[in-house]
Structure formats: structure tokens, C-alpha cells
Amino acid sequence: MTASYDKTISQAQSNETQNLVDAFNALDTDAKLAWFYFVYEKMGDSITPAAPAAAEPELAPLLLGDYFELSDEQQLDIMRDIVNRKDTEYSRAYGAIKENNQLLVWYAWAVAMGDTVVDLPASYQASKAINDLVSQIEGLDFEEQMSVFRTIAGELGYTDVKPIETQAETGKTSSL
């Protein structure tokens, strides 16, 4: 599969994978949460080995410990806050960790759904947009899938840390 690349797209994504990220961003809050559920349900076997192997769960004790003790409604509110990038304690904890750890959080929550994590309502029907997005991602090769997942996970949560300006942006060379 050949992909065309656009230099304005972050994280060296192809236009195709950026379009999938944009499609995810167009979903409403609860559809985004359902998307995570369906992705891990359908593709968890391929995502799972990649995320935890490169993650450091001890960096997310609030999200991978305390979270499991909360009520279903509190958990759902936290997930919504993270998806909506609200400035809350849990959303900041999520925003402070790297993408692989963020993927690990979603994985741990998906594994525990219906047990110690709030579950998708039994009557929930995925929209065409969710099903289409999952199908399109399934059609990507592994590296492209991980690029999409890391980008989506990395854009969620809250952080007030700004990226360091590059030499191209500042016109100055870095110094030690």
C-alpha cells in the first residue's frame, strides 16, 4: 500500500491516517467512547501487545488504580472529561503521560468493562460512522493503525504544557 504524505500532518502520518483521525474527532463524546470499546473488542489482540510492552503503568496510578474504585457514573464522567480535554484531575493525569501509556489506560479500561469499569449499555447500537471508522482502521497495516491510535490517544486529556518551538520556528539554534 502506498501512501502520500503531506508535510503539514503531524507525527509523519499519511493523509489517509490523518483523515481517520479527523473522522474520529468529528464523532460526539459518547460515540468516541464507544469507538474505543469497539476498537479494543475487535482489534485488541493486535493493539494489546504493542501498547503494554512499550508502556510504564506505574506512571498512571490515578488512572490505573484509583479509577477502578469509582462509581460507574464517576468513571463515565472521567472518560468524557478526557475525551473532551477538560481541565480536571484525571484529565490532567491522562494528559501528562505519553501515548503508549495512554493506550495502556484505554486497554486496561476496555479489559475491565462490565467488571470494575462502567460497561457500554446492552442496548447500545454503534452508528454507521463508528462502524465505518473501525472498518477503515482494520484495513490499515499495523504501523498505520498504531499511528492512528497514538495520535487519537495523544490528542485527548488536558495538558497546559506547550511543545518546544523548533529551530525552524524560532530561527535560533539551541544552546546548552
Side-chain angles (χ1 to χ4, degrees):
M1 169 182 269
T2 310
S4 60
Y5 288 89
D6 179 336
K7 290 184 180 183
T8 63
I9 295 174
S10 65
Q11 298 188 24
Q13 292 186 66
S14 68
N15 291 320
E16 178 184 15
T17 57
Q18 183 61 46
N19 289 340
L20 295 175
V21 171
D22 293 344
F24 172 83
N25 288 330
L27 298 173
D28 68 38
T29 301
D30 287 341
K32 289 176 182 175
L33 294 176
W35 176 86
F36 272 107
Y37 173 82
F38 290 118
V39 160
Y40 278 101
E41 182 181 78
K42 290 185 172 200
M43 304 171 67
D45 290 342
S46 63
I47 301 168
T48 306
E56 301 161 279
E58 65 277 5
L59 297 179
L62 191 66
L63 301 163
L64 296 175
D66 297 352
Y67 176 86
F68 294 105
E69 306 301 320
L70 301 173
S71 71
D72 287 357
E73 197 56 43
Q74 290 171 309
Q75 289 177 347
L76 186 56
D77 286 344
I78 288 167
M79 287 180 184
R80 287 174 173 154
D81 288 347
I82 289 170
V83 165
N84 291 323
R85 303 171 179 95
K86 288 192 176 176
D87 185 359
T88 66
E89 179 185 15
Y90 281 88
S91 192
R92 278 181 175 267
Y94 179 91
I97 57 178
K98 295 281 190 187
E99 290 91 347
N100 285 333
N101 291 317
Q102 292 168 335
L103 287 173
L104 177 65
V105 167
W106 289 108
Y107 167 72
W109 290 353
V111 167
M113 281 183 83
D115 184 17
T116 55
V117 172
V118 61
D119 203 354
L120 204 61
S123 61
Y124 186 85
Q125 294 292 316
S127 68
K128 181 178 179 341
I130 292 171
N131 288 330
D132 288 350
L133 187 54
V134 171
S135 293
Q136 290 170 346
I137 291 171
E138 284 179 305
L140 298 174
D141 67 34
F142 180 75
E143 289 78 19
E144 290 173 315
Q145 288 175 350
M146 292 309 297
S147 175
V148 170
F149 298 146
R150 282 189 185 103
T151 301
I152 287 172
E155 290 179 351
L156 304 179
Y158 182 87
T159 182
D160 49 14
V161 175
K162 304 294 180 235
I164 298 171
E165 291 181 321
T166 65
Q167 181 179 348
E169 292 168 328
T170 65
K172 299 177 185 173
T173 59
S174 59
S175 61
L176 302 172

